[in-house]
Amino acid sequence: MSFGDPNNPYGQQPQGQPGYGQQPQGQPGYGYPQQGQPQAPDQQPGYGYPQAPPVQAYGGGFPGGPTEMPGGVKAARVMLWVIAGFQLIGTVLFVLAAIAVDKAKDDPKLKDDVQFQDLADFSTGAIYGLTFLVLLWGMLAVFLAVKFKSGGNGIRITAMVFGIITAVLGVYPFIIVGLVHTVLAILVTVFVGKSDGGAWFNRARH
């Protein structure tokens, strides 16, 4: 059987021979990896886009977070201890003032003075009430200072609120004796509210 003139371009190609522009059967096309042949690393899916490392999840905190308390947070903690010390001193002074008023009430010259006795009774009650508040505020400062090492974002927010209220009280009504409290409280609020303070209180805990 003849396949025609081999010089004739319109002649029928013999079977098994690929036509012009056709790939031989059983061989993959140019640029395509052969089946069963492992692909090179740079030919894996998504070539040209490096795969990102897996994101490690941390329980509700910033990824990783600082392992050591930042300097600003340490300074705020020290200031809380200083405020607590001032509160203790204030407690002692208020107690001494209440004792002095009680002794004045027993003065023979003032026992018959009704107005003074009424004022002394009111003053004694007010002084003891302020003594309790001052002591309570100092205990809160101690609690916050202790919790700075292990506390979370709730301690951070409480410390900021504590600083703001303390600063306001230092301006009024205790502006004379509260000026140091005001400065320390403002610094506590600023240091705790900074980004490194947020990273510390929101860090992952194991």
Side-chain angles (χ1 to χ4, degrees), residues 80-90 142:
L80 284 174
W81 283 113
V82 174
I83 291 175
F86 280 128
Q87 295 298 115
L88 181 59
I89 294 174
V142 172

Side-chain angles (χ1 to χ4, degrees), residues 43-186:
Q43 295 179 346
Q44 297 295 330
Y47 173 68
Y49 296 92
Q51 296 182 357
V55 179
Q56 185 175 2
Y58 296 89
F62 287 105
T67 58
E68 183 180 356
M69 187 181 297
V73 179
K74 289 181 179 179
R77 188 184 189 189
V78 172
M79 293 173 190
L80 284 174
W81 283 113
V82 174
I83 291 175
F86 280 128
Q87 295 298 115
L88 181 59
I89 294 174
T91 301
V92 174
L93 293 178
F94 276 119
V95 170
L96 293 176
I99 293 174
V101 172
D102 282 336
K103 286 185 177 181
K105 290 170 59 177
D106 297 333
D107 191 339
K109 296 179 181 179
L110 298 174
K111 276 189 176 182
D112 296 333
D113 191 336
V114 178
Q115 292 182 351
F116 174 79
Q117 293 295 330
D118 292 341
L119 180 61
D121 290 338
F122 175 79
S123 299
T124 303
I127 292 173
Y128 279 121
L130 288 174
T131 302
F132 175 76
L133 292 177
V134 169
L135 180 61
L136 184 64
W137 207 246
M139 293 174 61
L140 179 57
V142 172
F143 171 79
L144 291 173
V146 171
K147 285 293 185 179
F148 262 38
K149 186 175 182 180
S150 60
N153 196 49
I155 295 297
R156 175 176 179 247
I157 295 175
T158 305
M160 294 175 65
V161 174
F162 174 88
I164 293 172
I165 296 177
T166 303
V168 172
L169 292 177
V171 173
Y172 181 83
F174 307 108
I175 185 169
I176 297 177
V177 297
L179 183 60
V180 177
H181 280 71
T182 300
V183 174
L184 293 176
I186 291 175

Side-chain angles (χ1 to χ4, degrees), residues 15-19 22-28:
Q15 294 183 1
Q17 297 293 330
Q22 296 181 355
Q23 296 290 337
Q25 295 182 2
Q27 297 183 2

Side-chain angles (χ1 to χ4, degrees), residues 62 73 153 156 191-203:
F62 287 105
V73 179
N153 196 49
R156 175 176 179 247
F191 287 143
V192 173
K194 290 173 62 178
S195 59
D196 57 350
W200 170 256
F201 288 102
N202 289 281
R203 71 192 185 283

Side-chain angles (χ1 to χ4, degrees), residues 31-53:
Y32 292 91
Q34 298 181 5
Q35 294 182 358
Q37 180 179 358
Q39 299 180 6
D42 59 350
Q43 295 179 346
Q44 297 295 330
Y47 173 68
Y49 296 92
Q51 296 182 357

